[in-house]
Amino acid sequence: MTRYSDDQMSGSSSHTYSEPTEQERALMAMSATQREEVIDRMRFDAARATHLEKEARLKAQIAAATEVSLAGNQWYQAQQRGQLSQRVSISNGKTTVEQLNAKADPSNSAFAVPPRALVDSLPVTVGGIQLGPKQARQMVEAGEISPADYAAAVEQAVAPYGYGSFR
């Protein structure tokens, strides 16, 4: 058995070649240095796309792992549900204990301002829609909610804790 057929050896087999595409013609018309630059650019773009794809997969994997971890963290879940009365944070070796859900000191002052930790932990209701504190702030910054509506919603949210005006 021969490796090539008789037609292939005699050159009588007919091969059909298609015409070069427009991109192939453009590459053939370039000088060698121009062609190398185009090929290098294509290789760079391909490597960059591969890198960005890997990075996106890694970020998605990290986000999924974080969600799984937080879902299994009972302390975090209790904090999110508002069942904890304290938040402990350590910053630069200094431990800070914040009272959450605590009533404000009785004050006749209209200027009693709620602590930022309380405002940052309470959901607010704007236009009948309940929003998380971070989402509400982002919507105010984006101009989707007026600052007055946000302030009124926060004022309503902190009222059960004994705080008056948020403004």
Side-chain angles (χ1 to χ4, degrees):
M1 180 179 234
T2 62
R3 194 168 180 179
Y4 298 101
S5 69
D6 290 335
D7 288 340
Q8 288 174 326
M9 294 299 286
S10 67
S12 63
S13 81
S14 60
H15 290 287
T16 56
Y17 295 103
S18 62
E19 289 293 317
T21 65
E22 203 165 311
Q23 287 178 334
E24 291 171 333
R25 281 193 200 114
L27 275 174
M28 290 188 288
M30 292 180 186
S31 68
T33 56
Q34 289 174 325
R35 198 171 315 138
E36 287 176 16
E37 287 175 6
V38 169
I39 291 171
D40 286 345
R41 211 174 315 127
M42 291 169 67
R43 286 182 181 146
F44 173 78
D45 290 343
R48 183 167 181 248
T50 302
H51 172 74
L52 291 175
E53 185 178 310
K54 285 181 183 176
E55 185 177 354
R57 276 196 311 260
L58 180 63
K59 284 183 179 180
Q61 185 180 7
I62 290 170
T66 302
E67 285 298 319
V68 168
S69 175
L70 290 177
N73 187 327
Q74 293 176 355
W75 182 86
Y76 178 78
Q77 293 300 320
Q79 180 187 13
Q80 291 302 99
R81 287 190 300 269
Q83 295 173 341
L84 296 181
S85 61
Q86 293 180 339
R87 178 185 303 164
V88 178
S89 60
I90 300 173
S91 178
N92 296 330
K94 182 180 176 188
T95 303
T96 306
V97 178
E98 300 174 62
Q99 277 304 118
L100 299 177
N101 307 333
K103 296 275 184 197
D105 294 331
S107 170
N108 294 332
S109 170
F111 300 103
V113 178
R116 190 75 202 174
L118 179 63
V119 174
D120 288 345
S121 67
L122 294 176
V124 294
T125 304
V126 178
I129 300 171
Q130 188 173 19
L131 304 168
K134 184 176 181 181
Q135 181 185 14
R137 279 193 311 280
Q138 289 171 345
M139 290 177 78
V140 169
E141 291 168 4
E144 298 171 14
I145 298 174
S146 73
D149 288 343
Y150 173 71
V154 170
E155 187 174 321
Q156 186 179 15
V158 298
Y161 299 95
Y163 291 99
S165 176
F166 169 68
R167 297 165 206 211

